[in-house]
Amino acid sequence: GQQVMQIPQYQHVQEGEDFTTYCNSSTTLSNIQWYKQRPGGHPVFLIQLVKSGEVKKQKRLTFQFGEAKKNSSLHITATQTTDVGTYFCAEVSNAGDTSYGKLTFGQGTILTVHP
Amino acid sequence: NAGVTQTPKFQVLKTGQSMTLQCAQDMNHNSMYWYRQDPGMGLRLIYYSASEGTTDKGEVPNGYNVSRLNKREFSLRLESAAPSQTSVYFCASSDPWLATEAFFGQGTRLTVV
């Protein structure tokens, strides 16, 4: 079953407000990836986090990996209408597995931005 | 560079009909995947192929079969469609030993009535 829980399921913000989505796991994650899916589109890779406590930034997006590697977050500062879409976290199966590369997705957070 | 190409984009089937979803990638990736996306469920893995000549079940394989025709192509077959298979299907590819980023096709929106 699903091993990565993502919250919230929906988030409505006014343009200019901040947005955060969270992923949590009961077990230690080997790594975490984040994807964005525009309405009617397909998932597009944003970033991968591997190290405990890792923080990466892409312009207004900040990605964090928890110290215990059991949670991760994506924070968007000052949202814009172009940020609309569904944001997914996903764990990649371990390099030692024959299924290496297989993704286990969170349920996703649907972000709407009101201008 | 087309990336991952899926066909068809839309399909309506009657219960019991069969169909094959086609997927091809031109990035020379070893691994290919089929996911289905349902509201509130994220993307769930149906089948995957770690390399040419191998296929394995994912989280939700029942009612599906796959064929890794060659390194480029990975097809998904529904032998007897059921309404529960109404979903959006995505094919993806990656080369995990080089970079674990997955590239997705445009998706197939399937409705079974």
Side-chain angles (χ1 to χ4, degrees), chain A residues 32-94:
Chain A
I32 197 91
Q33 293 184 350
W34 287 91
Y35 288 80
K36 177 183 178 180
Q37 182 180 25
R38 295 183 185 276
H42 59 282
V44 175
F45 176 81
L46 294 175
I47 209 158
Q48 174 167 287
L49 305 172
V50 178
K51 299 177 182 177
S52 168
E54 191 169 15
V55 178
K56 289 187 177 180
K57 293 189 176 184
Q58 291 179 349
K59 297 182 180 179
R60 294 177 295 105
L61 278 61
T62 302
F63 304 84
Q64 294 189 326
F65 203 7
E67 292 290 343
K69 299 183 73 174
K70 289 187 175 182
N71 58 76
S72 181
S73 65
L74 159 59
H75 179 83
I76 302 178
T77 303
T79 54
Q80 300 175 357
T81 55
T82 54
D83 295 324
V84 164
T86 303
Y87 292 86
F88 292 99
C89 61
E91 181 188 17
V92 184
S93 56
N94 286 326

Side-chain angles (χ1 to χ4, degrees), chain A residues 33 37 42 48 95 99-100 102, chain B residues 35 37 45 48 96-97 100 105:
Chain A
Q33 293 184 350
Q37 182 180 25
H42 59 282
Q48 174 167 287
S99 62
Y100 183 40
K102 185 177 69 170
Chain B
Y35 293 90
Q37 183 176 21
L45 183 65
Y48 64 98
W97 298 105
T100 54

Side-chain angles (χ1 to χ4, degrees), chain B residues 2 8 45 79 85 109:
Chain B
L45 183 65
E79 289 291 351
Q85 294 178 305
R109 188 172 296 274

